[in-house]
Amino acid sequence: MEKAYAIWCAIQDRIVAPAAAVLLLGCTLLALLEIFRRYIFGFSYEWQQDAVVYFILSAAFLYFSVAQRRHAHLGVTMLPDALATLGPRARRVADAIRLTALVFSFLFLLAVVWWGIPEIEDSLKYGSRTESLAFPMWPFLTVLLASFGFMALTMFFQIWREIQVLRGRSVPPEPADETSVLH
């Protein structure tokens, strides 16, 4: 299982995170071009606003699983953190609370992906488009659901590792972050 997790981490670091970064950079450049065109030349394309909004959202969606793995997301940890300081038994309770929250989040994401698939099908069937009518909605919905799926996969590995820790088994440290090698 650890080898599969290491492979998933490598995919995140080598494919998913760079794809999100390139998408975000491209959207930023497109937004700057739009600002320049609008305020210097006095005209703009209606589709550019939709492109910037939906592609920036897609970049953020793609980064969800990476942020989950790195614990770089918003989390309410006051109770588990407070319990962890009270001793070994309280620390185990804190670990159980974290695991319960992780399992609940994992199941929630699976439900979102499951019930989101018909949304993509409907978007294809009815030809849903963005506000400017320049882009179909299904690619953005697909990226959103794939991103939730990626995040659920990351949570699956985290759940497995947390269970191993609660069972008293040693778990290897988190696989090295590819970007940390570059800095």
Side-chain angles (χ1 to χ4, degrees), residues 61-83:
F61 297 158
L62 281 175
Y63 205 74
F64 283 170
S65 67
V66 179
Q68 174 64 33
R69 189 184 94 222
R70 295 178 183 171
H71 302 287
H73 54 82
L74 179 63
V76 181
T77 61
M78 187 173 76
L79 178 62
D81 289 348
L83 287 173

Side-chain angles (χ1 to χ4, degrees), residues 74 88 102 116 139 142 144:
L74 179 63
L102 199 54
T142 302
L144 175 63

Side-chain angles (χ1 to χ4, degrees), residues 61 116 120-121 124 137-148:
F61 297 158
I120 295 171
E121 292 169 345
L124 282 165
M137 285 298 294
W138 70 265
F140 304 110
L141 295 173
T142 302
V143 169
L144 175 63
L145 286 187
S147 299
F148 283 156

